[in-house]
Amino acid sequence: MKNKKLSIYLCILLIVQVIFVQWISNYPSIIEKYYSNGIYLFTSKFFRILLGWLPFSFGDLLLLIFILYFFRSLYKLIKNRFKNSLEKLLHFIAIVSLFYGCFYWFWGFNYFREPLTTNLGISQQKYSTEQLATVTKKITSELNNIHLKIAKNDSVLIQNPYSQKEMYQKAIDGYTNLAKEYPQLAYQYASIKSSLMSLLQTYNGTSGYLNPFTGEAHVNDMIPKTGYPTTICHEMAHQIGFAAENEANFIGYLAALANDDIYFKYAAYRMAFGYLINELRRHDKEIHKTIIKSVNKGVLKDYRASSEFWNRYENPIEPLLKKGYNSYLKANKQTKGIQSYNYVVDLIISYEQK
């Protein structure tokens, strides 16, 4: 009886929570001051200290246990011919209520904070094709130069020599350097891990994710190593409270660029070039072709190898998963959905012009 009453209370609480989240999402200044720079700073550090020392993902294990519990409960419900189905439904909604609350209080309210441009003092404006082309040419030049420093030959494909664990450690150095210019981007108490579900992530087309319930940053350890550093830095940006994907991309770019390690710098320019050149193709195909011709052959080989890697894991389920993720992002004030990642171009151009 007590359990039934508790389930009813939690079901009611879910309705209250949904209303509260919808209301508070309209007040980014409150979120910024009291949550992102208040509550979240303490809870995120607590979880990173608590779980960061573990050599495996505690969050992935929790997720596996939850999935097994869900299917076990579903099996028992069907086996018992849906006996006490209403009570079971109340119990399920009660669990959803707990997860919903934990998601937003542990991390999710960061979706509604003030824009990163306000935080960093960058003026983000609409850019012209000329501005896009200028910045793309600059990044292309930097990418070619850093590639040549590593490979000593413009036709050689770069091989990142580090292990995943070495890159997790090196990524922290980039944030340490970046914090000298932007103290609000300081990173403490590392909790960065290879995902136990890397194969599944590869099939659904994702490179990494942050577990909002445990604060652990996860990286798909199967992805090509040349892009690994920026993926790590992207997930670390989520850990310090920047939920929007374009903002995490931009901070990841800055952190990799600020790193003293040349392979991290290469990854930064590699990522920026990828987004910029794709955007330029939509604006002016002729300039796009001209710039592509100026890219080192070794760099183009790198992009081709990465594309071939992802093509090997294409499957009919992936588009459905991305559609679901797209809806999730839109529900959390990222109106462009998955396309939000691409809006890092606006931030890169604004930063380069600054």
Side-chain angles (χ1 to χ4, degrees), residues 90-104:
L90 282 174
H91 184 62
F92 176 75
I93 296 174
I95 293 174
V96 170
S97 179
L98 289 173
F99 272 90
Y100 187 88
C102 289
F103 171 78
Y104 280 105

Side-chain angles (χ1 to χ4, degrees), residues 217-232:
H218 299 85
V219 183
N220 177 349
D221 61 13
M222 293 179 64
I223 63 174
K225 279 189 176 183
T226 47
Y228 212 91
T230 43
T231 299
I232 300 171

